[in-house]
């Protein structure tokens, strides 16, 4: 194990990394990676020939590395075992995987690291080049697991019921845009709740609570009323967009669901075709006959039907064959980072081709980078949604977003 100081510490380092530990059993590959790091201006470079040696070194260092460059195939302790040991020892240094193995294996190791809570930077296939290393360290931010969540505030059914009665739940709207032209096509209505004492309550906390405690009906009605009123206000100002509303599986058992939705849309002077009801595919796994009755009646009246989070369940194809969906939303797990993951591109291409063959509108959610946006353009996706385009926002903020978004259209439009 050795530490090699950089020759010139004045060179700016990509990504802000000032020290690196290279873990590789090949002395030639290790020296090559170390030299590239020196060329990038990294001040301090450590080396280890396998995972065991790297762990021993990390335990001794006074100045720990800010980045680990790790090979996979090594004697004694391979790269995967090394990542597991980092997790067990609660060592949270950013990790860059560098290996000559196939990309799908590298991506799986990266996913493993994220699931274990490690900040995974990226994966690179050997031979490593200066340009690819510089670009990766400049652009790739460490990805951490979404499973490690902060302690959530404790809210009760009575808290939520009181919030609904007082009209404290608000609706935010996330834009959905045409991927070829960049033009606004619609928005998705998303419930938001700020508790007067506890602050913001996450939707994945209060929506399951509403479903468990029989409050999902009042919650959906509150969201729908606000969203329809906002859509009517937009239209009165010349902004006509489609409106996607999430429909809880619990509501599919409501006998007068179709009449309630129809009446509320008519009250606000909107057209049925402007409204898209989003249903997660997992919600259709039980009592299909009841769900099918409600959904086919909604479709018969002209409402759009979207299968949400497509690809996260086990019965996607079967549901598409049974229910008259008009739109398919591809889950963010197949979209985010797809430009760097060839096997995700295969899945995306397959889903989009199926949409074309079935005459469905394809919607990709979770678009965060321009690279993934360009990939979706190339593959022929119809609609895009994600932080690259816009985060969920209050209804009145959409006007300003539209004005600012116009300035981005030349960048977003297909070449």
């Amino acid at each position: 194990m050795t530490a090699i100081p950089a020759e010139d510490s004045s060179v700016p380092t990509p990504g802000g990394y000032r020290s690196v530990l290279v873990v590789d059993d090949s002395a030639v590959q290790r020296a090559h990676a170390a030299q590239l790091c020196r060329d990038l201006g990294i001040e301090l470079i450590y080396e280890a020939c396998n995972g065991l040696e790297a762990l021993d070194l990390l335990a001794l260092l006074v100045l720990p590395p800010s980045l680990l460059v790790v090979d996979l195939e090594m004697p004694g302790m391979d790269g995967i075992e090394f990542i597991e040991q980092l997790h067990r020892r609660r060592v949270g240094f950013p990790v860059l995987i560098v290996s000559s193995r196939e990309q799908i294996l590298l991506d799986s190791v990266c996913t493993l690291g994220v699931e274990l809570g490690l900040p995974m930077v990226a994966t690179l296939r050997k031979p490593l080049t200066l340009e690819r290393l510089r670009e990766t360290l400049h652009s790739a931010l460490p990805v951490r697991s979404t499973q490690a969540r902060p302690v959530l505030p404790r809210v009760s059914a009575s808290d939520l019921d009181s919030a609904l009665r007082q009209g404290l739940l608000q609706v935010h709207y996330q834009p959905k845009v045409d991927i070829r032209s960049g033009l606004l096509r619609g928005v998705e209505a998303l419930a938001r709740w700020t508790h007067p004492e506890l602050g913001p309550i996450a939707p994945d906390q209060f929506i399951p609570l509403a479903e468990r405690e029989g409050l999902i009906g009042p919650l959906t009605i509150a969201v729908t009323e606000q969203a329809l009123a906002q859509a009517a206000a937009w239209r009165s100002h010349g902004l006509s967009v489609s409106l996607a509303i999430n429909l809880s599986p619990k509501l599919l058992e409501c006998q007068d669901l179709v009449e309630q939705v129809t009446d509320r849309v008519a009250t606000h002077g909107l057209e049925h075709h402007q409204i898209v009801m989003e249903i997660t595919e997992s919600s259709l796994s039980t009592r299909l006959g009841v769900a099918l009755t409600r959904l086919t009646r909604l479709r018969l009246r002209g409402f759009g039907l979207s299968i949400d989070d497509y690809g996260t369940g086990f019965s996607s194809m079967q549901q598409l064959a049974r229910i008259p969906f008009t739109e398919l939303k591809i889950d963010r797990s197949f979209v985010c980072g797809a430009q760097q993951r060839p096997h995700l591109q295969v899945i995306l291409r397959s889903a989009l081709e199926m949409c074309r063959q079935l005459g469905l509108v394809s919607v990709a959610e979770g678009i965060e980078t321009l690279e993934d946006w360009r990939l979706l353009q190339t593959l022929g996706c119809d609609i895009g949604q994600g932080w690259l385009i816009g985060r969920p926002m209050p209804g009145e903020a959409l006007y300003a977003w539209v004005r600012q978004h116009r300035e981005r259209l030349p960048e977003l439009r297909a070449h």
Side-chain angles (χ1 to χ4, degrees):
M1 58 183 76
T2 58
I4 306 173
E7 297 176 1
D8 182 5
S9 60
S10 65
V11 179
T13 59
Y17 299 110
R18 307 297 296 179
S19 57
V20 171
L21 169 58
V22 180
V23 188
D24 197 317
D25 64 310
S26 167
V28 174
Q29 297 285 351
R30 203 165 59 244
H32 175 63
Q35 182 60 52
L36 294 181
C37 290
R38 282 197 297 275
D39 294 341
L40 292 176
I42 295 176
E43 295 180 339
L44 190 61
I45 303 171
Y46 302 102
E47 295 184 29
C49 67
N50 58 43
L52 287 170
E53 190 173 274
L55 291 173
D56 291 340
L57 179 58
L58 289 173
L60 296 173
L61 291 175
V62 177
L63 295 174
S66 55
L67 176 68
L68 307 181
V69 178
V70 181
D71 185 29
L72 291 185
E73 296 179 279
M74 297 179 289
M77 178 183 288
D78 60 40
I80 299 174
E81 293 175 294
F82 177 57
I83 288 173
E84 287 186 305
Q85 285 298 321
L86 292 176
H87 163 67
R88 290 177 183 174
R89 301 184 186 202
R90 300 182 182 276
V91 179
F93 303 118
V95 177
L96 172 65
I97 300 295
V98 179
S99 173
S100 58
R101 293 301 299 266
E102 62 272 22
Q103 187 64 48
I104 190 170
L105 176 59
L106 272 61
D107 291 340
S108 295
V109 175
C110 189
T111 301
L112 166 66
V114 171
E115 291 300 312
L116 293 177
L118 296 176
M120 305 299 290
V121 176
T123 62
L124 288 174
R125 294 195 67 199
K126 294 181 178 178
L128 197 58
T129 67
L130 181 64
E131 188 57 37
R132 288 173 60 221
L133 182 60
R134 177 188 290 113
E135 181 182 350
T136 298
L137 297 185
H138 265 304
S139 60
L141 296 176
V143 178
R144 296 177 182 269
S145 173
T146 56
Q147 293 183 357
R149 299 180 182 271
V151 177
L152 297 173
R154 298 186 64 138
V155 291
S156 65
S158 60
D159 291 328
L160 180 56
D161 183 51
S162 176
L164 289 169
R165 292 179 185 276
Q166 297 178 49
L168 297 181
L169 262 74
Q170 301 298 314
V171 180
H172 284 194
Y173 305 88
Q174 187 169 31
K176 299 165 66 176
V177 303
D178 185 287
I179 284 189
R180 293 199 64 80
S181 68
L183 296 175
L184 179 66
R185 290 291 180 249
V187 296
E188 179 180 359
L190 300 165
R192 295 292 184 263
W193 177 24
T194 301
H195 192 281
E197 297 175 0
L198 302 175
I201 309 298
D204 58 4
Q205 184 181 4
F206 70 78
I207 290 177
L209 173 65
E211 291 180 328
R212 289 195 307 269
E213 301 296 335
L215 295 172
I216 192 62
L219 188 153
T220 303
I221 290 172
V223 170
T224 302
E225 281 291 340
Q226 281 193 50
L228 292 175
Q230 182 62 71
W234 286 330
R235 193 173 73 163
S236 68
H237 288 84
L239 184 60
S240 182
V241 295
S242 71
L243 176 67
I245 299 173
N246 290 280
L247 192 61
S248 166
K250 296 286 186 182
L251 291 179
L252 294 178
E253 300 184 10
C254 179
Q255 190 168 359
D256 62 346
L257 170 67
V258 177
E259 285 70 27
Q260 285 194 44
V261 172
T262 302
D263 291 345
R264 283 179 164 78
V265 170
T267 298
H268 291 282
L270 299 174
E271 302 293 334
H272 294 179
H273 66 82
Q274 290 181 258
I275 312 302
V276 178
M277 311 305 294
E278 291 192 4
I279 306 99
T280 56
E281 60 174 288
S282 59
S283 70
L284 302 172
S285 57
T286 59
R287 300 200 66 184
L288 178 64
V290 174
L292 191 55
T293 298
R294 311 290 180 257
L295 294 174
T296 51
R297 290 189 65 213
L298 285 169
R299 184 70 197 106
L300 188 63
R301 297 195 180 195
F303 293 96
L305 297 179
S306 175
I307 183 168
D308 197 9
D309 298 335
Y310 178 80
T312 59
F314 297 99
S315 56
S316 307
M317 299 290 187
Q318 193 175 48
Q319 307 298 9
L320 285 173
R322 290 171 169 175
I323 298 171
F325 287 106
T326 58
E327 178 181 285
L328 183 147
K329 291 191 75 174
I330 303 171
D331 186 70
R332 60 174 293 112
S333 61
F334 299 104
V335 175
C336 189
Q339 180 63 40
Q340 288 79 39
R341 305 179 73 174
H343 66 291
L344 288 186
Q345 296 177 31
V346 174
I347 297 172
L348 274 175
R349 187 176 289 106
S350 174
L352 293 172
E353 178 59 28
M354 182 181 63
C355 282
R356 283 189 287 271
Q357 294 292 332
L358 295 177
L360 302 177
V361 174
S362 55
V363 180
E365 54 185 349
I367 305 175
E368 296 184 1
T369 67
L370 190 59
E371 290 74 22
D372 289 336
W373 173 268
R374 293 281 183 241
L375 173 64
L376 290 163
Q377 282 180 327
T378 302
L379 297 180
C381 185
D382 297 319
I383 304 293
Q385 180 179 352
W387 285 5
L388 174 70
I389 304 304
R391 300 194 180 201
M393 65 192 74
E396 61 272 14
L398 190 65
Y399 299 110
W401 176 88
V402 169
R403 290 192 296 270
Q404 295 169 358
H405 184 68
R406 288 196 189 105
E407 300 176 2
R408 299 185 62 197
L409 291 181
E411 175 191 29
L412 294 175
R413 282 178 172 161
H415 297 293

